[in-house]
Structures are given as structure tokens and as C-alpha cells.
Amino acid sequence: MTSSYYPIHEKAGFDADAYAEKIERALRAGDKVKGPYLRRYGKELDAALDKKFSGDAELLILALMKTPLAYDLEQLENAMKGMGTDENTLIEIICSRTPDQLKAITAHYNKDPKHAKCPLEKAIAGDTSGEFKDLLVALVGGSKDGGHSTNDVQAKDDAIRLYADGKAKLKGGAGSHFLHILATQNMYQLRKVFAEFEKLSGTSIETAIKKEFSGDLEKAYLTIVGATVNKQKFFAEQLHASMKGFGTRENDLVRVIVARSEVDLNLIREEFLHADFNKGKKTLEDTIKGDTSGVFRDTLLAICAGNQ
């Protein structure tokens, strides 16, 4: 079954052996073609592609050859590799993925032998600090409710707690209501909490977060809110941020395009077109054309166009 939400669909009657012979037409076939390619040519497909492409194009092509889970795992590993930490990548993945996706990420990360001495929670704790650390560790530890049930009374009580924290000029802390509520409630309950908070305070939860927090913790809480209220709008804003100003944050651009290409990229494109930041009402494709070039640009545009 196909969907209008995303541009990349599973191809009916897919013949992996035939695609292995015509690799240039199979760059989006992912893991399906790796086995046949190895059997036919005696070499790994990723290694062959690595030799064929370079730079941004290589980054994108290799991302397309991975499953969404494998790609998230690679991105998290790279974000914590070596000196320094890529907090933006940690925030986007950990604070925007569903509870089921986070459980899969944590389980696969921890069962990898190379992480035997340093599971995901420990790795994150070693690269971050304070309430930001506590929030990320709680999320990868499975704190988030993945259900659909809501409770109006609880939503009002939680809104009061959040408002009280703000009135007390909260500056963070592991016991804060912001951390407990945003890290544990399911998205449907959180929407009710946010609505009750706005009724009570006369301001949005986003405004309160910007007032009370700063830095990576602020970004993390805003990511949870954005992914909860309108995930497609959130990712449209991520795409805009990756291409605004001088230079392009290629890894951020690739991560969103690839991760959402089989989920909701068409909806994200609509949000991008009508977003407040898009004064000129440029399409995502036109923006990509203006910020990228060559094979990298062409492949991004091919993903947006889809395979239907």
C-alpha cells in the first residue's frame, strides 16, 4: 500500500539481483541489494559506493543504503565520537523519535559488542551534564509513555506544576516538573498539558521554556514540544535551519531528508512551503537547488520527487 505522506515507497516486484547488476539505478534500494551485490561481485556495496562518491554525495548515498535504525545508531555514535559532542544530533534524534524507536535504538546500541563496557545511557552521561544529561538518559532509558490514553484532570494538575516552576524562576534540576512531565507523558497527554498551560498562564509552553531555560536544555525541551505538537512543522524548521545563512549543514540536511523519506517527507514539504520563516514561499526543492550542487543536489531532489 502506498501513501501520499512520503515520496519513497517499496517497489512491487523488486528484483534484487537485477538491481545489483544496475547499481546506478538502485542507490535507494537499501539493504535489499547488498546481499546479491556481494554474491555477484565479491565486494561490499558500501565499499564500492565509497570509492565511487566523495564529499556530500558520499554522505547522502551511504545514508540511503542504511535502514532508519542503523542510520540513527551511526549518527548517535558519530555525535559522541572523539573530542567534543554534537549536541544538535543527540537532541534531534533522542527528543524527536517515538518511544518504540528509542527502545529499538537503545537495545541495538547496547547489544553491539563494541559497546559492552559503555551502554548508551553511560555514553550519553559521559558526554553531557546537568538536567540536559538527565533528560536524554531518561528518554533512552525508556521513560516515555508510548500509549494513547489521556487524562484531563492530570493534564490540569501537570499544567499547574509547570506554571509553578516558572513562577519560582526555575533554573533546572533533576527533580524539575519540566523534566518529569516532558520525558514521561505520551504525545496525546502532552498536547492536553500544553493547552491547559496556555489557558492558565496566557502564554505558550514554548515561550515559558525559552524564558526559563537556555542552551542545549532549552533546545531539547523545545524539540520535544515541537515533535509533540506538529512533527512535520518541526522537521521543516530543521531543514530550514540546515540551509539558512552562509553555508549548509549537510549532515543535518541529509539526516532529515533520509530519515523522513519513507515516513512523512511530503507533509514536511507542505509545512516548509507555508512556514512563517519562508517569506518568499520557496519550495523545499527550490531551496535545495539554491544551497547544494552536483550529484548531492540531484540525489536530494530525486528523493523529494519519489519513486511513484
Side-chain angles (χ1 to χ4, degrees):
M1 184 177 72
T2 61
S3 168
S4 61
Y5 294 168
Y6 49 88
I8 303 298
H9 300 271
E10 183 174 351
K11 190 174 181 64
F14 179 76
D15 185 338
D17 287 301
Y19 270 67
E21 292 178 352
K22 300 178 180 180
I23 192 62
E24 73 277 5
R25 294 167 50 196
L27 294 178
R28 295 191 302 278
D31 287 342
K32 292 181 181 180
V33 82
K34 289 183 178 180
Y37 189 88
L38 177 61
R39 290 196 300 272
R40 282 176 174 266
Y41 304 114
K43 55 186 177 182
E44 294 289 348
L45 178 56
D46 285 356
L49 291 172
D50 190 36
K51 292 180 180 178
K52 184 175 179 61
F53 298 100
S54 62
D56 299 335
E58 178 186 4
L59 179 75
L60 176 55
I61 297 303
L62 293 180
L64 287 166
M65 299 309 299
K66 294 178 172 61
T67 65
L69 174 58
Y71 185 55
D72 276 350
L73 287 168
E74 179 187 74
Q75 287 285 292
L76 287 175
E77 289 179 346
N78 290 340
M80 296 183 286
K81 184 185 297 183
M83 299 295 292
T85 304
D86 180 358
E87 289 84 2
N88 286 334
T89 297
L90 292 181
I91 291 169
E92 183 185 304
I93 293 177
I94 296 174
C95 297
S96 74
R97 299 303 188 255
T98 67
D100 285 344
Q101 287 173 325
L102 286 173
K103 288 176 183 177
I105 287 170
T106 301
H108 281 76
Y109 187 101
N110 291 347
K111 77 176 183 180
D112 190 323
K114 68 184 178 184
H115 299 140
K117 295 182 179 180
C118 190
L120 184 55
E121 297 94 326
K122 184 176 180 180
I124 290 172
D127 272 49
T128 57
S129 61
E131 187 171 348
F132 178 55
K133 173 198 70 178
D134 296 333
L135 175 64
L136 298 187
V137 169
L139 290 170
V140 299
S143 68
K144 196 80 164 175
D145 175 20
H148 295 74
S149 62
T150 61
N151 184 310
D152 290 341
V153 173
Q154 185 65 51
K156 290 180 180 179
D157 287 346
D158 286 340
I160 291 171
R161 291 186 176 93
L162 294 178
Y163 182 63
D165 277 350
K167 294 290 283 185
K169 301 300 180 185
L170 177 73
K171 294 302 179 187
S176 82
H177 291 117
F178 272 89
L179 190 152
H180 176 71
I181 293 169
L182 271 68
T184 61
Q185 304 281 9
N186 70 60
M187 62 181 293
Y188 305 99
Q189 181 67 14
L190 280 179
R191 288 173 182 172
K192 287 182 175 289
V193 173
F194 299 157
E196 291 294 336
F197 181 89
E198 190 157 354
K199 288 180 186 176
L200 179 65
S201 67
T203 190
S204 68
I205 191 70
E206 293 95 334
T207 299
I209 289 170
K210 291 175 183 178
K211 180 180 178 181
E212 301 301 332
F213 302 100
S214 62
D216 294 327
L217 182 58
E218 176 190 345
K219 292 178 185 176
Y221 280 140
L222 288 175
T223 295
I224 294 174
V225 173
T228 296
V229 175
N230 186 333
K231 185 164 286 190
Q232 290 74 42
K233 180 180 178 182
F234 165 74
F235 281 115
E237 291 170 345
Q238 292 293 97
L239 287 172
H240 170 66
S242 73
M243 294 183 283
K244 72 177 181 180
F246 291 103
T248 302
R249 289 170 13 206
E250 289 83 0
N251 191 59
D252 294 347
L253 174 60
V254 168
R255 187 170 58 250
V256 175
I257 293 289
V258 171
R260 311 310 295 186
S261 64
E262 297 180 60
V263 182
D264 56 1
L265 183 56
N266 286 341
L267 299 179
I268 293 169
R269 289 162 64 200
E270 284 296 312
E271 289 288 347
F272 189 96
L273 180 61
H274 301 294
D276 291 340
F277 62 72
N278 193 354
K279 304 301 182 183
K281 300 306 174 188
K282 292 176 63 177
T283 64
L284 175 60
E285 291 88 333
D286 283 341
T287 306
I288 288 172
K289 289 177 185 177
D291 276 69
T292 61
S293 61
V295 175
F296 182 54
R297 173 201 61 210
D298 295 343
T299 308
L300 288 170
L301 294 176
I303 297 170
C304 291
N307 63 347
Q308 295 299 302

